[in-house]
């Protein structure tokens, strides 16, 4: 299936234009000049801008990692009757769309939402990636001390033969699975097997991944090679994505560590190995959910001719952690945060025998949001876990190389870690948390004398009280849908108090907006189920105080479980699994709590701050921006608007609602909206005409909602439209003056 980059609608492979929006599926548009660019082009022929979808290919031989390495369970193979594909040609099941109607694609959080990546081309040399051979062998050395390499060795490249070289006998043998392809048999003659000669400009026999640099003659037996390839079919789901998504129909959880074998040495549930996912690709898939910011996205992987190929997001353009460590603008608390991230990764990588990935200094990068990023994973040749002292050696080197001063408590921590006093990751984390608390106390601001008349005094924010609260909501099917899968709920409890000190309002109000997916009798059921579950929960769990973050998360997860249970009970699978987005607002006087999952949004409008988007969509494009990709590139991906989270399709391990708290210190209009209203920057474009007037207490919110829906039908109309408006008027609290 071809996934439209504009509207995410699934089209047959034979389509040249999207059946829904008419977008061309035979070429791309340049992000700079909007010229048409061929799918297999690396640069725009008009302006020369980078326009290709480029991946980093790591090619390893069978000796790169023991064949007996453990694997993590995932899902069962494709159920009977499901569409399958013999690798890369016809692409097994189409993108995982929740809903029979055209809907946003729900990308699973197990690393499956990366498949159509538009990663910018980085003009780097292949030797920026360091082979595992740069590490000491644990079989010969008891510890591994990280060092900064003085020179980078030039890697030896390896390549696969062309499809024309496959023998007729081999071509008749069907592939073992979508990832193990019929390819050339290895020469039986040792003299012929000694070298592999480059005879193709593609990495794979299907000629999807084009090499970006010519390669010299390759010596067989090379442990590993790193090259860059251009994806000539960026709108096609990768074979690895199709394979793993086919398993999602049966099992929806993916553990972060390999399972222990049963007594008969067979796993209880199908594993990544059962699905023939190559061993080097398995930790990326298993850990992607928990460490999506730390680990590179995996796009594809396969095996042939005794070699394994893994295609990864290229992170070589990110700055080195070592360089950032020496930056005087980096606060000590940020350094501690990086150390804490390393401890979490250390524990997660241990079952996969990839801890060495944290010990190579050049493998440690930092994105623009100051998250620690691994450029790739290195697997140890031995399955013996590395000691924590190795991590302590790395930390000591970081401080010594950067000339950063450190607290005495950090110095003692490094000594204890080096000498084995700290033996568990849990103890190490506890020490880091204690040091962070020590830093926060020592850096706390000194109170300023209230009688000081210095003009540079910071602005004093007066306590505010709520004096008026109104709300209105409405939903509309739109101009193209046959039924409405949106649902909303409003529960208000407002009382007015009059006294000699003035008029005050006490409010306890609940606002819920859900955009369902899953087709008729699916999406609308899910959205209604979520609204009712949340309404009942807060009816009994919200008393005198605004619920805290833990309580709100519990409510969201309960709504997710209610929908998930229906999916399981009715044995729904694939696009038949119903789900919904969620934006939730709780108002208690002038305090506001917000929770959201998916791409339904909350906006906040005030005269002083203007219109601001409060929530950040759970979609691939936003996740790429968090990883350091510029917005224009992130949203040039075909799957940029693909959801990474929703309520219902997966269990609670894959739902991570964002929860935040706001304070109303000025007159404010809150806008809850489904994507039928927010698409194409509709609110940002028409905010001055359709939102700004609603700040006045004389304006009708009911009429305002109606006009917003009419506006959405005029400019969008392709989806259901739902809006809730909340107007809060406040004034300084006289009791505090």
């Amino acid at each position: 299936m071809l996934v439209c980059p504009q509207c995410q609608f699934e089209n047959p492979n034979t389509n040249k234009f999207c059946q829904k929006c008419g977008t061309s599926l035979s070429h791309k548009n340049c992000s700079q000049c909007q010229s048409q660019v061929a799918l297999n082009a690396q640069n725009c022929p008009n302006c020369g801008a980078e326009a290709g979808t480029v991946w980093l290919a790591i090619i390893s031989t069978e000796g790169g990692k023991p064949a007996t390495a453990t694997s993590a369970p995932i899902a069962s193979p494709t159920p009977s009757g499901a569409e399958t594909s013999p690798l890369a040609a016809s692409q097994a099941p189409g993108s995982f769309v929740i809903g029979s109607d055209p809907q946003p694609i729900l990308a699973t959080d197990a690393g499956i939402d990366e498949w159509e990546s538009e990663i910018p081309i980085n003009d780097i040399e292949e030797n920026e990636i360091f082979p595992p051979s740069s590490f000491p062998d644990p079989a010969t050395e008891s510890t591994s001390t990280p060092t900064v390499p003085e020179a980078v060795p030039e890697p030896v490249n390896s390549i696969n033969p062309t499809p024309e070289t496959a023998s007729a006998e081999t071509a008749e043998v069907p592939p073992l699975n979508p990832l193990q392809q019929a390819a050339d048999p290895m020469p039986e003659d040792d003299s012929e097997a000694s070298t592999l000669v480059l005879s193709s400009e593609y990495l794979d026999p299907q000629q999807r991944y084009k090499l970006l640099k010519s390669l010299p003659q390759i010596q067989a037996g090379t442990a590993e090679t790193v090259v860059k390839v251009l994806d000539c079919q960026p709108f096609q789901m990768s074979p690895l994505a199709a394979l793993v998504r086919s398993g999602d129909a049966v099992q929806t959880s993916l553990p972060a560590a390999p399972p222990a074998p049963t007594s008969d040495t067979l796993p209880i549930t199908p594993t990544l190995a059962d699905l023939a996912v190559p061993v080097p690709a398995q930790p990326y898939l298993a850990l992607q959910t928990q460490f999506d910011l730390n680990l590179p996205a995996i796009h594809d992987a396969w095996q042939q001719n005794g070699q394994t190929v893994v295609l990864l997001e290229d992170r070589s353009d990110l700055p080195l952690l070592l360089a950032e460590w020496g930056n005087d603008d980096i606060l000590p608390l940020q350094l501690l945060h990086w150390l804490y991230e390393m401890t979490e990764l250390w524990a997660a990588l241990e079952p996969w025998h990839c801890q060495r990935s944290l010990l190579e200094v050049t493998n440690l990068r930092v994105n623009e949001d100051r998250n620690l990023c691994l450029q790739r994973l290195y697997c140890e040749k031995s399955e013996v876990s590395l000691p924590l002292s190795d991590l302590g050696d790395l930390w000591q080197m970081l401080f010594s190389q950067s000339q950063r001063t450190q607290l005495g408590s950090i110095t003692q921590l490094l000594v204890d870690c080096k000498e084995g006093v700290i033996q568990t990751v849990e103890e190490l984390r506890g020490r880091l948390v204690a040091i962070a608390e020590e830093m926060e106390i020592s850096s706390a601001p000194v109170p300023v004398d209230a009688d000081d008349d210095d003009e540079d005094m910071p602005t004093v924010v007066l306590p505010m009280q709520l004096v008026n609260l109104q709300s209105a909501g409405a939903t509309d099917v739109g101009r193209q849908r046959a039924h409405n899968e949106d649902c909303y709920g409003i529960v208000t409890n407002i009382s007015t108090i009059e006294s000699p000190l003035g008029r005050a309002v006490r409010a306890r109000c609940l606002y819920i907006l859900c955009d369902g997916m899953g087709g008729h009798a699916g999406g609308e059921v899910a959205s209604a189920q979520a609204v009712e579950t949340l309404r009942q929960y807060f009816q009994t769990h919200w008393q005198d105080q605004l619920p805290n973050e833990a309580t709100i998360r519990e409510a969201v997860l309960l709504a997710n479980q209610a929908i998930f249970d229906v999916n399981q009970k009715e044995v729904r699978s694939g696009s038949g699994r119903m789900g919904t987005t969620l934006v939730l607002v709780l108002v208690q006087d002038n305090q506001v709590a917000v929770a959201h999952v998916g791409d339904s949004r909350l906006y906040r409008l005030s005269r002083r701050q203007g219109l601001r988007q409060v929530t950040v969509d759970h979609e691939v494009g936003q996740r790429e921006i968090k990883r350091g990709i510029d917005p224009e590139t992130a949203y040039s991906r075909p799957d940029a608007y693909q959801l990474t989270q929703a309520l219902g399709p997966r269990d609670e391990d894959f739902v991570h609602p964002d929860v935040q708290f706001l304070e109303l210190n000025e007159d404010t209009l809150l806008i809850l909206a489904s994507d039928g209203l927010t698409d194409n920057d509709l609110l940002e474009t028409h905010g001055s005409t359709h939102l700004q007037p609603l700040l006045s207490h004389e304006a009708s919110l009911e009429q305002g909602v109606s006009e917003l829906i009419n506006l959405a039908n005029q400019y969008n109309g392709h989806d259901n439209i739902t809006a809730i408006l909340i107007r809060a008027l406040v004034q300084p609290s006289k009791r505090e003056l």
Side-chain angles (χ1 to χ4, degrees), residues 19 95 481 493 680:
Q19 292 178 338
S95 303
R481 296 295 178 87
N493 184 358
N680 301 315

Side-chain angles (χ1 to χ4, degrees), residues 500-515:
L501 294 176
R503 181 176 182 269
V505 169
R506 295 289 179 263
R508 190 177 68 191
C509 303
L510 173 66
Y511 306 92
I512 311 167
L513 186 150
C514 294
D515 181 356

